Structure formats: C-alpha cells, structure tokens
Amino acid sequence: TAVTISTPNGDTVAENATLALEAEVTPNGSNQEVTWAVAAGTGTATIDAETGVLTGQTAGTVTVTATSVGNSNVSDTQVITVVSTL
C-alpha cells in the first residue's frame, strides 16, 4: 500500500487563501481515505483533516502529510510554499 499526494493547482498558496490537495492510495481497491496534517516550517498553515484543503497563514514553507486510514504506517509528505500577499 502507498499514498501519493498531488497538487493539481501547484505547490504554492497565498496567505489567507486555500489550496486543495489530493491523495491517492494504491493499489486500487485499497481504502482511499486519508487523514491530513500540516507541520509548520518557516511558514504556517492549517489543513482540514478530512478534505485536504490547506489555508495559508504566514509566508514560508509547511510540510503536509497524508496518512492512510486503512494503514497508519503508510503516508506521503509534500512541502508547500505559503507566499506573502503584500
């Protein structure tokens, strides 16, 4: 089983804007549900744990993690850049 995060709208988000992330769990037929989390790096953001919608807060980078609901040992990470709106 594997989880792969994709960013169809790119890997940057502005402060106070949203970015929808997607995750695919393979092989097909696996439980496709994931839980989303975000860790601050040089920037900050929040993420909806169920939908994967990230909201930029402060400029810099954050690391997003998608973890398989069916197997919590399987996850993927993606670095997202939050850009200043100034």
Side-chain angles (χ1 to χ4, degrees), residues 40-51:
T42 57
T44 60
T46 59
I47 196 163
D48 184 302
E50 293 181 6
T51 65

Side-chain angles (χ1 to χ4, degrees), residues 1 10 13-15 25-27 29 34 41 50 59 62 65 73 82 84:
T1 304
V13 63
E15 292 173 329
V25 181
T26 55
V34 297
E50 293 181 6
V62 297
T65 303
N73 294 321
V82 180
S84 175

